[in-house]
């Protein structure tokens, strides 16, 4: 695995979430942030827009992160989705916590020999916390860190390039996976 990038410009350290319903609103935000940000996240809301291909073309000189959270799906589907992302210059794409080793293999097949998109695994939704973990898995909250670490280590072994984690899990994962890419959502 490649060491984590250390020489990022300030414009690359922030990934601005284009969590708006239309391409026009997204492009307006990109124009407004022109000198401040060079990396943008496109989530499910914009992905459902019929013109997302147009948006990707207009962001050709920017770095783009597609927050798709690919599930454990039909391998050919995963391969094709990641191939399209690679061909359009997407830098990061997310895989959900349901992704299996086969999902990672299919995603790597889609990426081929390209460096991008980096495959970012979501071990536990960053908007959830220990209380949610306890309710979902019927486990004690003290098991939460072990759960996140176990999921992350398995995903890393399967081919994840990095993880999407809340600020509370950064130290845990950095201590156990020092060279992986960590992306943490900011304030919403």
């Amino acid at each position: 695995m490649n060491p984590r990038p250390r020489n990022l410009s300030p414009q690359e350290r922030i990934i601005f979430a284009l969590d708006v319903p239309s391409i026009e609103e997204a492009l307006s935000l990109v124009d407004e942030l022109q000198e401040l940000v060079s990396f943008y996240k496109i989530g499910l809301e914009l992905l459902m827009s019929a013109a997302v291909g147009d948006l990707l073309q207009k962001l050709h000189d920017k770095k783009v992160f597609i927050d798709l959270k690919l599930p454990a799906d039909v391998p050919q589907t995963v391969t094709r989705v990641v191939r399209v992302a690679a061909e359009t210059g997407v830098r990061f794409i997310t895989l959900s916590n349901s992704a299996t080793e086969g999902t990672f293999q299919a995603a790597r097949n889609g990426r081929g020999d390209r460096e991008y998109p980096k495959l970012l695994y979501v071990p536990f939704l960053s908007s959830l916390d220990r209380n949610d973990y306890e309710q979902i898995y019927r486990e004690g909250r003290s098991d939460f860190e072990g759960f996140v670490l176990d999921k992350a280590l398995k995903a890393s072994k399967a081919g994840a390039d990095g993880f999407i984690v809340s600020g509370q899990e950064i130290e845990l994962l950095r201590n156990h996976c020092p060279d992986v890419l960590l992306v943490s959502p900011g304030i919403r």
Side-chain angles (χ1 to χ4, degrees), residues 16 18 23-37 40 55 58-59 61-62:
F16 187 84
L18 295 172
I23 302 300
E24 295 75 26
E25 288 173 89
L27 289 174
S28 176
L29 288 168
V30 171
D31 286 342
E32 188 176 331
L33 298 170
Q34 189 73 26
E35 301 300 318
L36 302 172
V37 179
Y40 296 91
L55 177 61
K58 291 177 181 182
L59 295 177
D61 61 335
K62 306 291 184 196

Side-chain angles (χ1 to χ4, degrees), residues 97-155:
N97 65 359
S98 72
T100 63
E101 191 172 327
T103 308
F104 281 99
Q105 181 62 49
R108 287 193 316 270
N109 289 345
R111 182 173 61 195
D113 293 338
R114 298 174 188 95
E115 182 179 1
Y116 299 108
K118 296 293 187 192
L119 307 175
L120 301 181
Y121 178 69
V122 182
F124 194 72
L125 286 176
S126 60
S127 62
L128 302 178
D129 62 18
R130 291 172 189 269
N131 293 324
D132 297 305
Y133 167 77
E134 186 175 20
Q135 288 180 346
I136 294 167
Y137 293 102
R138 304 285 185 226
E139 301 281 338
R141 290 185 312 164
S142 62
D143 299 331
F144 178 70
E145 285 185 354
F147 171 83
V148 170
L149 184 58
D150 181 60
K151 298 277 281 181
L153 291 173
K154 286 178 181 174

